[in-house]
Amino acid sequence: SLECPYTSGATFIRQVRAAGGEAAVDRAFANPPKSTLAMMKPGIWLTGNDTPRVVALPAAPAGAQRTLNTTFGAADVWALVGDQEVAGTWRGGRIAVDRQGDRATMILVIASVRTGPLVAALRRSLPADTVVSSAKGIVTATRSATLG
């Protein structure tokens, strides 16, 4: 996600300029996209519908320490699964890592407008012991491993 403005920024600006001229470019600098999806698909920003959906992570299990809790954007999906079309189904996401003793568990939660392709891509891209499921437009991937 940190590199998205650098890798997609020029294309974003070209498409915004083509759609609305320099005034639209000025608006983009004053009100930048709220998600990497809007950088990848400028039409989403142009419509004003670029606010990501808030997704909830499950609570850390009793005795576990949440060592990571951050957003997981469309560009992150693209980097993980290598498919921009699948990444374009993203509408919000978070990733967390819980640690308890010598075990760590990664929890990835993604809102998607088409969960089937996302589930299939995650199953191809993540280790085989990762549990991937979907319900009501939310895809969850969970994997635990022993550290060390």
Side-chain angles (χ1 to χ4, degrees), residues 94-121:
R94 293 201 70 77
I95 188 168
V97 175
D98 296 334
R99 185 167 179 181
Q100 188 168 12
D102 66 346
R103 301 278 303 163
T105 301
M106 179 271 315
I107 308 102
L108 175 60
V109 180
I110 301 169
S112 175
V113 294
R114 287 184 23 243
T115 59
L118 179 58
V119 167

Side-chain angles (χ1 to χ4, degrees), residues 15-98:
Q15 291 179 6
V16 167
R17 183 177 287 123
E22 289 304 314
V25 172
D26 291 344
R27 280 194 312 276
F29 279 101
N31 182 23
K34 296 177 181 84
S35 70
T36 56
L37 179 65
M39 293 289 297
M40 294 164 51
K41 294 182 166 192
I44 290 173
W45 179 83
L46 288 163
T47 65
N49 292 329
D50 68 326
T51 300
R53 182 173 164 190
V54 175
V55 296
L57 288 164
Q65 178 186 8
R66 182 141 292 165
T67 58
L68 175 73
N69 181 349
T70 191
T71 58
F72 198 85
D76 298 315
V77 173
W78 187 7
L80 178 62
V81 303
D83 186 326
Q84 186 176 9
E85 186 175 326
V86 169
T89 71
W90 174 96
R91 292 300 180 268
R94 293 201 70 77
I95 188 168
V97 175
D98 296 334

